[in-house]
């Protein structure tokens, strides 16, 4: 087993997106797959100051900060998993965040809703507005962010779900995601001491 597979086995959380996000008070807000990833900040559950610091660092990264301080919320051996990439170290994860400002003219977190906050996990909805450098047309994107934490309060597994389906870790999709995660650092060049 690779270190990423070991981390995945131990720390990956596979929540039921429909159960977590289904809008029962206004079902018209659900997508046709019964998920509602649009954040409603007023419905957030309480969050500890430690977990709030982690969410702030992660939203800073989504907004293009790519700072060493924000990157330090990740454990050195950690996983980032989204539809485009699979990274199994903090350095490779930094490659993703340091690349964001290169392809986006701007990226800003519009709102979040905390769904769950415990000493070992944070799950929240996020609305991010992306403006690609090429098109200069802004688009808000809703997603479900799942963070698994270790005993030191560091992020060990970061999953970003864009739709109701969880990710497969098999086949061609996994190979392409891993290639992206493994090689993007050659282009984005994050600091070597991450």
């Amino acid at each position: 087993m690779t270190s990423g597979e070991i981390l995945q086995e131990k720390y990956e959380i596979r929540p039921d997106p429909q159960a977590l996000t289904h809008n029962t008070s206004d079902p018209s807000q659900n997508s046709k797959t019964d998920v509602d990833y649009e954040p409603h900040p007023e419905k957030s559950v309480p969050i500890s100051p430690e977990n709030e610091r982690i969410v702030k660092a992660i939203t800073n990264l989504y907004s293009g900060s790519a700072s060493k301080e924000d990157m330090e919320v990740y454990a050195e051996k950690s996983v980032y998993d989204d539809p485009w990439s699979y990274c199994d170290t903090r350095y490779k994860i930094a490659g993703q965040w340091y690349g964001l400002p290169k392809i986006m003219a701007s990226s800003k977190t519009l709102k979040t809703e905390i769904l769950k906050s415990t000493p070992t996990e944070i799950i929240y909805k996020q609305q991010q507005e992306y403006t690609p450098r090429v098109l200069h047309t802004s688009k808000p994107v809703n997603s479900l962010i799942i963070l698994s934490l270790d005993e030191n309060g560091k992020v060990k597994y970061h999953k970003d779900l864009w739709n109701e389906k969880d990710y497969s870790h098999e086949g061609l999709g996994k190979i392409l995601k891993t290639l992206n995660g493994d090689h993007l650092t050659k282009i984005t060049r994050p600091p070597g001491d991450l």
Side-chain angles (χ1 to χ4, degrees):
M1 270 184 141
T2 67
S3 66
E5 290 168 332
I6 292 167
L7 290 169
Q8 182 180 312
E9 182 83 20
K10 186 172 180 182
Y11 291 101
E12 183 183 24
I13 300 169
R14 291 187 165 271
D16 177 350
Q18 286 86 356
L20 269 174
T21 67
H22 182 76
N23 190 328
T24 53
S25 61
D26 186 2
S28 69
Q29 295 300 308
N30 294 321
S31 70
K32 61 185 173 198
T33 57
D34 277 340
V35 296
D36 175 14
Y37 283 178
E38 182 174 346
H40 306 281
E42 69 283 359
K43 294 182 179 179
S44 287
V45 300
I47 185 169
S48 70
E50 297 81 16
N51 284 2
E52 188 171 18
R53 183 187 63 77
I54 292 168
V55 170
K56 178 67 176 152
I58 298 291
T59 57
N60 286 348
L61 291 166
Y62 274 99
S63 296
S65 81
S67 76
K68 186 174 179 182
E69 181 183 347
D70 288 332
M71 281 303 305
E72 288 178 351
V73 299
Y74 291 101
E76 192 173 329
K77 298 282 185 198
S78 49
V79 170
Y80 176 84
D81 190 6
D82 78 7
W84 297 103
S85 48
Y86 183 90
C87 307
D88 60 5
T89 67
R90 181 172 56 209
Y91 181 74
K92 291 177 188 177
I93 295 168
Q96 305 299 306
W97 296 125
Y98 278 74
L100 189 63
K102 295 181 186 312
I103 60 171
M104 295 295 164
S106 76
S107 175
K108 55 185 165 190
T109 303
L110 300 178
K111 53 187 175 176
T112 62
E113 176 188 348
I114 307 299
L115 301 174
K116 185 174 187 180
S117 176
T118 72
T120 59
E121 65 185 286
I122 305 167
I123 302 175
Y124 67 98
K125 296 178 187 180
Q126 177 173 290
Q127 186 174 79
Q128 195 72 21
E129 183 180 76
Y130 295 103
T131 307
R133 289 197 178 279
V134 177
L135 303 174
H136 291 287
T137 304
S138 299
K139 177 169 178 42
V141 176
N142 296 325
S143 61
L144 184 66
I145 309 297
I146 300 117
L147 306 172
S148 180
L149 311 176
D150 67 12
E151 62 281 351
N152 299 314
K154 297 280 191 178
V155 175
K156 290 295 277 188
Y157 206 99
H158 177 162
K159 185 184 296 194
D160 184 347
L161 291 176
W162 296 358
N163 60 36
E164 79 287 354
K165 296 178 185 164
D166 204 343
Y167 305 131
S168 166
H169 296 106
E170 302 172 343
L172 183 60
K174 169 66 164 74
I175 292 168
L176 293 174
K177 286 171 49 162
T178 301
L179 283 172
N180 182 25
D182 286 351
H183 297 287
L184 192 59
T185 55
K186 295 171 186 166
I187 298 167
T188 61
R189 302 197 185 277
D193 60 350
L194 284 172

